[in-house]
Amino acid sequence: VFCLGVTVVHIPAGDIEGNMFELEDEPAGSKKQHSGSPRAKRKQQIITFSSLLYESLSMPSFTKFPDFAYTCLGRALFNAGLGGQVYLVYYLRDVMLVSNPVQVTSIVSVLALLGGIVGALPAGMLSDKIGKKPLIYTSIVMCIGSLVLFMLVGNVELIQMVGFVYGIGNVGYLSVDYALGVQVLPKKIVTIEEGASEEHSLERNTVSVPIDAAKDLGVFAMSATVGQLVGQIIYGTVLDQFSGTSDKGQVIYNTGGFLVIYTIS
């Protein structure tokens, strides 16, 4: 920490907007290399450790960039919903009374991964043709339908097939989720000057560029972790309210608890 503080306490900031040069007219065949003088160069600024720390921990304004805020919220909610599958092993053990719930849960997980492999490529191709939002809506419907079927079917083989469908829906969302996050990153408008010469006047074009792509992508990625954390806290707390003890002293959970957590999920 001491070395980090000493290193970054005075870091000269480079030319952020880049240099633009005017080339000098020279006769043909001249061996002199073109040299340029910066037309617009931002004065170097000193970055202090406190300002660097503030910039690193600052969040984009969700009121100023609502699309980015909604995308982060949607990712958090989706990953919070994924947390419900952790308790499938207890559902198989206490509600369906499966003799080997861990093995069945493992098979369901493997089939969900296979479903993700099968659905990954078509999901990417469909997103290019029909857009990201329709694919996200379809994927969410598939995941919700799978959770409902988990509660309705009473056959282990059918639950395994539902896990395969769940994997397709899950990867359908994840395949376009990150691309959507990149698309809605907070951006700013900058003006680019180019085309200055004797024959052509200076042209100014405006483009939108991300304000801080690396940090904002970190915020977007963190929203998934926050969703999983909040989901696990809610599901664990709710399911604990529907717990009991068997004759052998083992903690068991009744159907009502699973109905509540999968409804939330």
Side-chain angles (χ1 to χ4, degrees):
V1 173
F2 173 76
C3 293
L4 177 64
V6 171
T7 303
V8 304
V9 68
H10 288 299
I11 302 177
D15 184 9
I16 298 176
E17 296 182 351
N19 297 335
M20 291 169 285
F21 298 93
E22 287 182 327
L23 295 179
E24 302 173 353
D25 294 331
E26 298 179 14
S30 174
K31 295 183 180 180
K32 182 180 179 181
Q33 294 182 352
H34 289 292
S35 62
S37 59
R39 178 182 299 126
K41 185 176 181 181
R42 180 175 293 184
K43 184 179 179 181
Q44 286 189 342
Q45 299 175 350
I46 299 299
I47 300 178
T48 62
F49 179 74
S50 59
S51 63
L52 181 64
L53 186 63
Y54 174 78
E55 290 293 333
S56 301
L57 299 179
S58 62
M59 298 277 289
S61 174
F62 287 163
T63 57
K64 192 174 181 180
F65 305 103
D67 291 341
F68 181 71
Y70 289 137
T71 305
C72 290
L73 178 61
R75 193 168 203 250
L77 292 175
F78 183 83
N79 283 273
L82 291 180
Q85 62 183 332
V86 175
Y87 304 95
L88 179 62
V89 61
Y90 301 111
Y91 176 76
L92 294 172
R93 184 195 69 182
D94 299 336
V95 178
M96 296 193 65
L97 303 178
V98 176
S99 58
N100 51 351
V102 176
Q103 181 180 358
V104 175
T105 304
S106 301
I107 295 174
V108 172
S109 301
V110 171
L111 289 175
L113 291 175
L114 292 176
I117 295 174
V118 172
L121 184 59
M125 297 173 62
L126 285 174
S127 66
D128 294 334
K129 292 184 178 181
I130 65 177
K132 299 179 182 63
K133 284 186 178 181
L135 184 60
I136 287 178
Y137 296 151
T138 304
S139 301
I140 291 177
V141 170
M142 292 181 65
C143 291
I144 293 176
S146 299
L147 291 175
V148 173
L149 289 176
F150 274 138
M151 301 295 296
L152 295 180
V153 299
N155 189 294
V156 174
E157 287 75 16
L158 290 178
I159 286 184
Q160 294 172 356
M161 296 306 300
V162 171
F164 182 81
V165 176
Y166 182 84
I168 297 177
N170 185 23
V171 79
Y173 178 89
L174 296 177
S175 62
V176 298
D177 171 52
Y178 211 80
L180 185 63
V182 172
Q183 183 178 342
V184 299
L185 284 176
K187 295 179 176 64
K188 63 180 177 180
I189 304 297
V190 298
T191 302
I192 299 178
E193 299 179 351
E194 56 185 7
S197 65
E198 291 184 354
E199 300 177 356
H200 302 282
S201 60
L202 188 65
E203 295 182 0
R204 295 186 177 183
N205 299 321
T206 58
V207 295
S208 61
V209 297
I211 298 175
D212 196 341
K215 184 184 68 177
D216 294 338
L217 280 176
V219 174
F220 179 70
M222 185 179 63
S223 63
T225 306
V226 172
Q228 292 175 355
L229 174 63
V230 174
Q232 294 296 343
I233 293 175
I234 293 175
Y235 301 145
T237 303
V238 171
L239 195 60
D240 187 63
Q241 305 305 314
F242 293 86
S243 62
T245 306
S246 65
D247 297 336
K248 298 180 179 180
Q250 183 182 23
V251 177
I252 57 175
Y253 306 98
N254 58 44
T255 308
F258 295 103
L259 181 63
V260 172
I261 66 171
Y262 284 127
T263 299
I264 298 174
S265 177

